[in-house]
Coordinates of all heavy atoms in Angstrom, one line a residue:
M1 N 94.3 260.2 -4.4 CA 93.9 259.8 -3.1 C 94.0 258.3 -3.0 O 93.6 257.5 -3.8 CB 92.4 260.2 -2.8 CG 91.9 259.7 -1.5 SD 90.6 260.6 -0.8 CE 89.2 260.3 -1.7
V2 N 94.6 257.8 -1.9 CA 94.7 256.4 -1.6 C 93.6 255.9 -0.8 O 93.2 256.5 0.1 CB 96.1 256.1 -0.8 CG1 96.2 254.7 -0.5 CG2 97.3 256.6 -1.7
R3 N 93.0 254.8 -1.3 CA 91.9 254.2 -0.6 C 92.3 253.2 0.5 O 93.2 252.4 0.3 CB 91.0 253.4 -1.6 CG 89.8 252.9 -1.0 CD 88.9 252.3 -2.1 NE 87.7 251.9 -1.5 CZ 86.7 251.4 -2.1 NH1 86.7 251.3 -3.4 NH2 85.6 250.9 -1.5
T4 N 91.7 253.3 1.6 CA 92.1 252.4 2.8 C 91.6 251.0 2.4 O 90.5 250.8 1.9 CB 91.3 252.9 4.0 OG1 91.6 254.2 4.3 CG2 91.7 252.1 5.2
P5 N 92.5 250.1 2.6 CA 92.1 248.7 2.3 C 90.9 248.2 3.1 O 90.7 248.6 4.3 CB 93.3 247.9 2.8 CG 94.5 248.8 2.9 CD 93.9 250.2 3.2
L6 N 90.1 247.4 2.5 CA 88.9 246.9 3.2 C 89.3 245.9 4.2 O 90.2 245.1 4.1 CB 88.0 246.3 2.2 CG 87.4 247.2 1.1 CD1 86.6 246.4 0.1 CD2 86.6 248.3 1.7
T7 N 88.5 245.8 5.3 CA 88.6 244.8 6.3 C 88.0 243.5 5.8 O 87.2 243.5 4.9 CB 88.0 245.2 7.6 OG1 86.5 245.3 7.4 CG2 88.4 246.6 8.1
P8 N 88.4 242.4 6.5 CA 87.8 241.1 6.1 C 86.3 241.2 6.2 O 85.6 240.6 5.5 CB 88.5 240.1 7.0 CG 89.8 240.7 7.4 CD 89.5 242.2 7.4
E9 N 85.8 241.9 7.3 CA 84.4 242.0 7.5 C 83.7 242.7 6.4 O 82.6 242.4 5.9 CB 84.1 242.7 8.8 CG 84.5 241.9 10.1 CD 86.0 242.0 10.4 OE1 86.7 242.9 9.8 OE2 86.5 241.1 11.1
E10 N 84.3 243.8 5.9 CA 83.8 244.6 4.8 C 83.7 243.7 3.5 O 82.7 243.8 2.7 CB 84.5 245.8 4.5 CG 84.4 246.9 5.7 CD 85.4 248.0 5.6 OE1 86.5 247.8 5.2 OE2 85.0 249.1 5.9
R11 N 84.7 242.9 3.3 CA 84.8 242.1 2.1 C 83.6 241.0 2.2 O 82.9 240.7 1.3 CB 86.1 241.4 2.0 CG 87.2 242.3 1.5 CD 88.4 241.6 0.9 NE 89.3 242.5 0.3 CZ 89.1 243.1 -0.9 NH1 88.1 242.8 -1.6 NH2 90.0 243.9 -1.3
E12 N 83.5 240.4 3.4 CA 82.5 239.4 3.6 C 81.1 240.0 3.4 O 80.2 239.4 2.8 CB 82.6 238.8 5.0 CG 81.4 237.9 5.4 CD 81.3 236.7 4.5 OE1 82.3 236.2 3.9 OE2 80.1 236.1 4.4
R13 N 80.8 241.2 3.9 CA 79.6 241.9 3.7 C 79.3 242.1 2.2 O 78.2 241.9 1.8 CB 79.5 243.2 4.5 CG 78.1 243.8 4.6 CD 78.1 245.0 5.5 NE 79.2 245.9 5.3 CZ 80.0 246.2 6.3 NH1 79.9 245.7 7.5 NH2 81.0 247.1 6.1
G14 N 80.3 242.5 1.5 CA 80.1 242.7 0.0 C 79.9 241.4 -0.7 O 79.0 241.4 -1.6
E15 N 80.5 240.3 -0.2 CA 80.2 239.0 -0.9 C 78.8 238.6 -0.5 O 78.1 238.0 -1.4 CB 81.3 238.0 -0.4 CG 82.6 238.2 -0.9 CD 83.7 237.4 -0.3 OE1 83.4 236.5 0.6 OE2 84.9 237.6 -0.6
R16 N 78.3 238.8 0.7 CA 76.9 238.5 1.0 C 76.0 239.3 0.2 O 75.0 238.7 -0.4 CB 76.7 238.8 2.5 CG 77.2 237.8 3.4 CD 76.7 238.1 4.8 NE 77.3 237.2 5.8 CZ 76.9 237.0 7.0 NH1 75.9 237.7 7.4 NH2 77.5 236.2 7.8
L17 N 76.2 240.5 0.0 CA 75.3 241.4 -0.9 C 75.3 240.8 -2.3 O 74.2 240.7 -2.8 CB 75.8 242.8 -0.8 CG 75.1 243.8 -1.8 CD1 73.6 243.9 -1.4 CD2 75.8 245.1 -1.8
G18 N 76.5 240.5 -2.8 CA 76.5 240.0 -4.2 C 75.7 238.7 -4.3 O 75.0 238.5 -5.3
R19 N 75.9 237.8 -3.3 CA 75.1 236.5 -3.3 C 73.6 236.7 -3.3 O 72.9 236.1 -4.0 CB 75.6 235.6 -2.2 CG 76.8 234.8 -2.4 CD 77.0 233.7 -1.4 NE 77.0 234.2 0.0 CZ 78.1 234.6 0.6 NH1 79.3 234.6 0.0 NH2 78.0 235.0 1.9
L20 N 73.2 237.7 -2.4 CA 71.8 237.9 -2.3 C 71.2 238.5 -3.6 O 70.1 238.1 -4.0 CB 71.5 239.0 -1.1 CG 71.8 238.4 0.3 CD1 71.8 239.6 1.3 CD2 70.7 237.4 0.6
L21 N 72.0 239.4 -4.2 CA 71.5 240.0 -5.4 C 71.4 239.0 -6.6 O 70.5 238.9 -7.3 CB 72.3 241.2 -5.9 CG 72.3 242.4 -4.9 CD1 73.3 243.4 -5.3 CD2 70.9 243.0 -4.9
R22 N 72.4 238.1 -6.6 CA 72.5 237.1 -7.7 C 71.3 236.1 -7.5 O 70.6 235.7 -8.4 CB 73.8 236.4 -7.7 CG 73.9 235.3 -8.8 CD 75.3 234.6 -8.8 NE 75.7 234.1 -7.5 CZ 76.7 234.7 -6.8 NH1 77.3 235.7 -7.2 NH2 77.0 234.1 -5.6
E23 N 71.1 235.7 -6.2 CA 70.0 234.8 -5.9 C 68.7 235.4 -6.3 O 67.8 234.7 -6.9 CB 70.0 234.4 -4.5 CG 71.2 233.4 -4.1 CD 71.4 233.3 -2.6 OE1 70.6 233.8 -1.8 OE2 72.3 232.6 -2.2
A24 N 68.5 236.6 -6.0 CA 67.2 237.3 -6.3 C 67.0 237.4 -7.8 O 65.9 237.3 -8.3 CB 67.2 238.7 -5.6
R25 N 68.1 237.7 -8.5 CA 68.0 237.9 -10.0 C 67.6 236.5 -10.6 O 66.8 236.4 -11.4 CB 69.4 238.4 -10.5 CG 69.3 238.5 -12.1 CD 70.7 239.1 -12.6 NE 71.8 238.3 -12.2 CZ 72.2 237.2 -12.8 NH1 71.5 236.7 -13.8 NH2 73.3 236.6 -12.5
E26 N 68.3 235.5 -10.2 CA 68.0 234.1 -10.7 C 66.6 233.6 -10.3 O 66.0 232.9 -11.1 CB 69.1 233.2 -10.2 CG 70.5 233.5 -10.9 CD 71.6 232.7 -10.3 OE1 71.4 232.0 -9.3 OE2 72.7 232.7 -10.9
A27 N 66.2 234.0 -9.1 CA 64.9 233.6 -8.7 C 63.7 234.3 -9.4 O 62.6 233.8 -9.5 CB 64.7 233.8 -7.2
S28 N 64.0 235.5 -9.9 CA 63.0 236.3 -10.6 C 62.9 235.9 -12.0 O 63.2 236.6 -12.9 CB 63.2 237.8 -10.4 OG 64.4 238.2 -11.0
A29 N 62.4 234.7 -12.2 CA 62.2 234.1 -13.6 C 63.5 234.1 -14.4 O 63.5 234.3 -15.6 CB 61.1 234.9 -14.3
G30 N 64.6 233.9 -13.7 CA 65.9 233.8 -14.4 C 66.3 235.0 -15.2 O 66.8 234.8 -16.3
R31 N 66.0 236.2 -14.7 CA 66.3 237.4 -15.5 C 67.8 237.5 -15.8 O 68.6 237.1 -14.9 CB 65.9 238.6 -14.7 CG 64.3 238.8 -14.6 CD 63.9 239.9 -13.7 NE 64.3 241.2 -14.3 CZ 64.2 242.3 -13.6 NH1 63.7 242.3 -12.4 NH2 64.5 243.5 -14.2
S32 N 68.1 237.9 -16.9 CA 69.5 238.0 -17.3 C 70.2 239.2 -16.6 O 69.6 240.1 -16.1 CB 69.6 238.3 -18.8 OG 69.2 239.6 -19.1
M33 N 71.5 239.1 -16.5 CA 72.3 240.1 -15.9 C 72.1 241.4 -16.6 O 72.0 242.5 -16.0 CB 73.8 239.7 -15.8 CG 74.6 240.5 -15.0 SD 76.3 239.9 -14.9 CE 76.0 238.5 -13.7
A34 N 72.1 241.4 -17.9 CA 71.9 242.6 -18.8 C 70.6 243.2 -18.5 O 70.5 244.5 -18.4 CB 72.1 242.3 -20.2
D35 N 69.5 242.5 -18.4 CA 68.2 243.0 -18.1 C 68.1 243.7 -16.8 O 67.6 244.8 -16.7 CB 67.2 241.8 -18.1 CG 65.7 242.3 -17.8 OD1 65.3 243.3 -18.4 OD2 65.1 241.6 -17.0
V36 N 68.6 243.1 -15.7 CA 68.6 243.7 -14.4 C 69.4 244.9 -14.4 O 69.1 246.0 -13.8 CB 69.0 242.7 -13.3 CG1 69.1 243.4 -12.0 CG2 68.0 241.6 -13.2
A37 N 70.6 244.9 -14.9 CA 71.5 246.0 -15.0 C 70.9 247.2 -15.7 O 70.9 248.3 -15.2 CB 72.9 245.6 -15.6
A38 N 70.3 246.9 -16.8 CA 69.6 248.0 -17.6 C 68.5 248.6 -16.8 O 68.3 249.8 -16.7 CB 69.1 247.5 -18.9
A39 N 67.7 247.8 -16.1 CA 66.6 248.3 -15.2 C 67.1 249.1 -14.1 O 66.4 250.1 -13.7 CB 65.8 247.1 -14.7
A40 N 68.3 248.8 -13.6 CA 68.9 249.6 -12.5 C 69.7 250.8 -13.0 O 70.2 251.6 -12.2 CB 69.8 248.7 -11.7
G41 N 69.9 250.9 -14.3 CA 70.7 252.0 -14.9 C 72.2 251.9 -14.6 O 72.9 252.9 -14.5
I42 N 72.7 250.6 -14.6 CA 74.1 250.4 -14.5 C 74.6 249.5 -15.6 O 73.7 248.9 -16.3 CB 74.5 249.8 -13.1 CG1 73.8 248.4 -12.9 CG2 74.1 250.8 -11.9 CD1 74.3 247.7 -11.6
S43 N 75.8 249.3 -15.7 CA 76.3 248.3 -16.7 C 76.3 246.9 -16.2 O 76.3 246.7 -15.0 CB 77.8 248.7 -17.1 OG 78.7 248.4 -16.1
A44 N 76.2 246.0 -17.2 CA 76.2 244.6 -16.8 C 77.5 244.2 -16.1 O 77.5 243.4 -15.2 CB 76.0 243.7 -18.0
E45 N 78.6 244.8 -16.5 CA 79.9 244.6 -15.9 C 79.9 245.0 -14.4 O 80.5 244.4 -13.6 CB 81.0 245.3 -16.7 CG 82.4 245.0 -16.1 CD 82.8 243.5 -16.0 OE1 82.3 242.7 -16.8 OE2 83.7 243.2 -15.2
T46 N 79.3 246.2 -14.2 CA 79.2 246.6 -12.7 C 78.4 245.6 -11.9 O 78.8 245.2 -10.8 CB 78.6 248.0 -12.6 OG1 79.4 248.9 -13.3 CG2 78.4 248.4 -11.2
L47 N 77.3 245.1 -12.4 CA 76.5 244.2 -11.7 C 77.3 242.9 -11.5 O 77.3 242.3 -10.5 CB 75.2 243.9 -12.5 CG 74.3 242.8 -11.9 CD1 74.0 243.1 -10.4 CD2 73.0 242.6 -12.7
R48 N 78.0 242.5 -12.6 CA 78.9 241.3 -12.5 C 79.9 241.4 -11.3 O 80.1 240.5 -10.5 CB 79.6 241.0 -13.8 CG 80.5 239.7 -13.8 CD 81.1 239.5 -15.2 NE 80.0 239.1 -16.1 CZ 79.6 239.8 -17.1 NH1 80.2 241.0 -17.3 NH2 78.7 239.5 -17.9
K49 N 80.5 242.6 -11.2 CA 81.5 242.8 -10.2 C 80.9 242.8 -8.8 O 81.5 242.3 -7.9 CB 82.2 244.1 -10.4 CG 83.2 244.1 -11.5 CD 83.8 245.5 -11.7 CE 84.8 245.5 -12.9 NZ 85.4 246.8 -13.1
I50 N 79.7 243.3 -8.7 CA 79.0 243.3 -7.4 C 78.6 241.9 -7.0 O 78.8 241.5 -5.9 CB 77.8 244.3 -7.4 CG1 78.2 245.7 -7.6 CG2 76.9 244.1 -6.1 CD1 77.1 246.7 -7.9
E51 N 78.0 241.2 -8.0 CA 77.6 239.8 -7.7 C 78.7 238.9 -7.3 O 78.6 237.9 -6.6 CB 76.8 239.2 -8.9 CG 75.4 239.8 -9.0 CD 74.6 239.1 -10.1 OE1 75.1 238.1 -10.7 OE2 73.4 239.4 -10.2
T52 N 79.9 239.1 -7.9 CA 81.0 238.2 -7.6 C 81.9 238.7 -6.5 O 82.9 238.0 -6.1 CB 82.0 238.1 -8.9 OG1 82.4 239.4 -9.2 CG2 81.2 237.4 -10.0
G53 N 81.6 239.9 -5.9 CA 82.3 240.4 -4.7 C 83.6 241.2 -5.1 O 84.3 241.6 -4.2
R54 N 83.8 241.4 -6.4 CA 84.9 242.2 -6.8 C 84.7 243.7 -6.6 O 85.7 244.5 -6.6 CB 85.3 241.9 -8.3 CG 85.9 240.6 -8.5 CD 86.3 240.4 -9.9 NE 85.3 240.7 -10.8 CZ 85.5 241.1 -12.1 NH1 86.6 241.1 -12.6 NH2 84.4 241.4 -12.9
A55 N 83.4 244.1 -6.4 CA 83.1 245.4 -6.0 C 82.3 245.3 -4.7 O 81.1 245.5 -4.7 CB 82.3 246.1 -7.1
P56 N 83.0 245.1 -3.6 CA 82.3 244.8 -2.3 C 81.7 246.0 -1.6 O 80.9 245.9 -0.7 CB 83.5 244.3 -1.4 CG 84.7 244.9 -2.0 CD 84.5 245.0 -3.4
T57 N 81.9 247.2 -2.1 CA 81.3 248.4 -1.5 C 80.7 249.3 -2.6 O 81.1 250.4 -2.8 CB 82.4 249.2 -0.7 OG1 83.4 249.6 -1.6 CG2 82.9 248.4 0.5
P58 N 79.6 248.8 -3.2 CA 79.0 249.6 -4.2 C 78.3 250.8 -3.6 O 78.0 250.8 -2.4 CB 78.0 248.7 -4.8 CG 77.7 247.7 -3.8 CD 79.0 247.5 -3.0
A59 N 78.1 251.9 -4.4 CA 77.5 253.1 -3.9 C 76.0 252.8 -3.4 O 75.3 251.9 -4.0 CB 77.4 254.2 -5.0
F60 N 75.6 253.5 -2.4 CA 74.2 253.4 -1.9 C 73.2 253.4 -3.0 O 72.3 252.5 -3.1 CB 73.9 254.4 -0.9 CG 72.5 254.4 -0.4 CD1 72.1 253.5 0.5 CD2 71.6 255.3 -1.0 CE1 70.7 253.5 0.9 CE2 70.2 255.3 -0.6 CZ 69.8 254.4 0.4
F61 N 73.2 254.4 -3.9 CA 72.2 254.5 -4.9 C 72.3 253.4 -5.9 O 71.2 253.0 -6.5 CB 72.3 255.9 -5.6 CG 71.9 257.0 -4.7 CD1 72.9 257.8 -4.1 CD2 70.6 257.2 -4.3 CE1 72.5 258.9 -3.2 CE2 70.2 258.2 -3.5 CZ 71.2 259.1 -2.9
T62 N 73.4 252.8 -6.1 CA 73.5 251.6 -7.0 C 72.8 250.4 -6.3 O 72.0 249.7 -7.0 CB 75.0 251.2 -7.2 OG1 75.7 252.3 -7.9 CG2 75.1 250.0 -8.1
V63 N 73.0 250.2 -5.1 CA 72.3 249.1 -4.4 C 70.8 249.4 -4.4 O 70.0 248.5 -4.5 CB 72.9 249.0 -2.9 CG1 72.1 248.0 -2.1 CG2 74.3 248.6 -2.9
A64 N 70.4 250.7 -4.1 CA 69.0 251.0 -4.1 C 68.4 250.7 -5.4 O 67.2 250.2 -5.5 CB 68.8 252.5 -3.7
A65 N 69.0 251.1 -6.5 CA 68.5 250.9 -7.9 C 68.4 249.4 -8.1 O 67.4 248.9 -8.8 CB 69.4 251.5 -8.9
L66 N 69.4 248.6 -7.7 CA 69.3 247.1 -7.9 C 68.2 246.5 -7.1 O 67.5 245.7 -7.6 CB 70.7 246.5 -7.6 CG 71.8 246.7 -8.6 CD1 73.1 246.3 -8.0 CD2 71.5 245.9 -9.9
A67 N 68.0 247.0 -5.9 CA 67.0 246.5 -5.0 C 65.6 246.8 -5.7 O 64.8 245.9 -5.7 CB 67.1 247.1 -3.6
S68 N 65.5 248.0 -6.2 CA 64.2 248.3 -6.8 C 63.9 247.5 -8.1 O 62.9 247.0 -8.3 CB 64.2 249.8 -7.2 OG 63.1 250.2 -7.9
A69 N 65.0 247.3 -8.9 CA 64.8 246.5 -10.1 C 64.5 245.0 -9.8 O 63.9 244.4 -10.6 CB 66.1 246.6 -10.9
L70 N 64.9 244.6 -8.7 CA 64.7 243.2 -8.3 C 63.5 243.0 -7.3 O 63.2 241.9 -6.9 CB 65.9 242.6 -7.6 CG 67.1 242.4 -8.6 CD1 68.4 242.1 -7.8 CD2 66.8 241.2 -9.6
G71 N 62.9 244.1 -7.0 CA 61.7 244.0 -6.1 C 62.1 243.7 -4.7 O 61.4 243.0 -3.9
L72 N 63.3 244.1 -4.2 CA 63.8 243.8 -2.9 C 63.6 245.0 -2.0 O 63.7 246.1 -2.4 CB 65.3 243.4 -2.9 CG 65.7 242.2 -3.8 CD1 67.2 242.0 -3.8 CD2 65.0 240.9 -3.2
S73 N 63.5 244.7 -0.7 CA 63.4 245.7 0.3 C 64.9 246.0 0.8 O 65.7 245.2 1.1 CB 62.6 245.2 1.5 OG 63.0 245.9 2.7
M74 N 65.1 247.3 0.8 CA 66.5 247.8 1.4 C 66.6 247.3 2.8 O 67.7 246.9 3.2 CB 66.6 249.3 1.3 CG 66.9 249.8 -0.1 SD 68.4 249.2 -0.9 CE 69.6 250.3 0.1
D75 N 65.6 247.4 3.6 CA 65.7 246.9 5.0 C 66.0 245.4 5.1 O 66.9 245.0 5.9 CB 64.3 247.1 5.7 CG 64.0 248.6 6.0 OD1 65.0 249.4 6.0 OD2 62.8 248.9 6.1
D76 N 65.5 244.6 4.2 CA 65.8 243.2 4.2 C 67.2 243.0 3.7 O 67.9 242.2 4.3 CB 64.8 242.5 3.2 CG 65.0 241.0 3.3 OD1 65.1 240.4 4.4 OD2 65.0 240.3 2.2
L77 N 67.7 243.7 2.7 CA 69.1 243.6 2.3 C 70.0 243.9 3.4 O 71.0 243.2 3.6 CB 69.4 244.5 1.1 CG 69.0 243.9 -0.3 CD1 69.3 245.0 -1.3 CD2 69.7 242.6 -0.6
V78 N 69.8 245.0 4.1 CA 70.6 245.4 5.2 C 70.7 244.3 6.3 O 71.7 243.9 6.7 CB 70.2 246.8 5.8 CG1 70.9 247.0 7.1 CG2 70.4 247.9 4.8
A79 N 69.5 243.8 6.7 CA 69.4 242.9 7.7 C 70.1 241.6 7.3 O 70.8 241.0 8.2 CB 68.0 242.6 8.0
R80 N 70.1 241.2 6.1 CA 70.7 240.0 5.6 C 72.2 240.1 5.4 O 72.9 239.1 5.3 CB 70.0 239.4 4.4 CG 68.6 239.0 4.8 CD 67.8 238.6 3.6 NE 68.3 237.4 3.0 CZ 67.9 236.9 1.8 NH1 67.0 237.5 1.2 NH2 68.4 235.7 1.4
C81 N 72.7 241.3 5.2 CA 74.1 241.6 5.0 C 74.9 241.8 6.3 O 76.1 241.8 6.3 CB 74.3 242.7 4.0 SG 73.9 242.3 2.3
V82 N 74.2 242.1 7.4 CA 74.9 242.4 8.6 C 75.6 241.2 9.1 O 75.0 240.1 9.1 CB 73.9 242.9 9.7 CG1 74.5 243.0 11.0 CG2 73.4 244.3 9.3
L83 N 76.8 241.3 9.5 CA 77.6 240.2 10.0 C 77.3 240.0 11.5 O 77.3 240.9 12.2 CB 79.1 240.4 9.8 CG 79.6 240.6 8.4 CD1 81.1 240.9 8.4 CD2 79.3 239.4 7.6
T84 N 77.0 238.8 11.8 CA 76.7 238.5 13.2 C 78.1 238.0 13.9 O 78.8 237.3 13.3 CB 75.7 237.4 13.4 OG1 76.1 236.2 12.6 CG2 74.3 237.8 12.9
P85 N 78.3 238.5 15.1 CA 79.5 238.1 15.8 C 79.6 236.6 16.0 O 78.6 236.0 16.4 CB 79.5 238.9 17.1 CG 78.3 239.7 17.1 CD 77.5 239.4 15.9
A86 N 80.8 236.1 15.9 CA 80.9 234.6 16.1 C 80.9 234.3 17.6 O 81.2 235.0 18.5 CB 82.3 234.2 15.5

């Protein structure tokens, strides 16, 4: 199956999500990528890809697990990732 290319907006939203997650991880007593990934039940490489925007559309349950591991609200993440029209 061929995946439809992501729009620039989808890529930007994924980059925002990655930045938010990285900032939250670093703000929570400088937790390591491996620690947060293990708490969320994903690999450190998957977290690295999400944080750097190389995986701009992670699965819902992956985002939910990361939010839980970092003590973030899903509502807050959604609100902060929504693109506002220019």
Side-chain angles (χ1 to χ4, degrees):
M1 172 156 73
V2 176
R3 185 173 182 175
T4 305
L6 297 176
T7 65
E9 293 80 16
E10 290 169 324
R11 289 201 172 279
E12 172 61 25
R13 190 172 46 239
E15 290 170 4
R16 281 186 186 196
L17 173 63
R19 276 193 304 273
L20 290 170
L21 293 172
R22 182 176 53 253
E23 289 168 5
R25 180 176 58 79
E26 291 172 349
S28 62
R31 289 175 66 189
S32 73
M33 192 174 283
D35 176 48
V36 172
I42 63 172
S43 71
E45 181 59 24
T46 297
L47 179 54
R48 181 176 292 109
K49 286 178 181 177
I50 293 168
E51 285 188 358
T52 60
R54 290 186 308 160
T57 58
F60 172 81
F61 291 105
T62 299
V63 176
L66 286 167
S68 177
L70 291 166
L72 299 173
S73 157
M74 286 293 286
D75 290 335
D76 186 44
L77 276 180
V78 169
R80 294 175 67 189
C81 287
V82 170
L83 299 176
T84 55

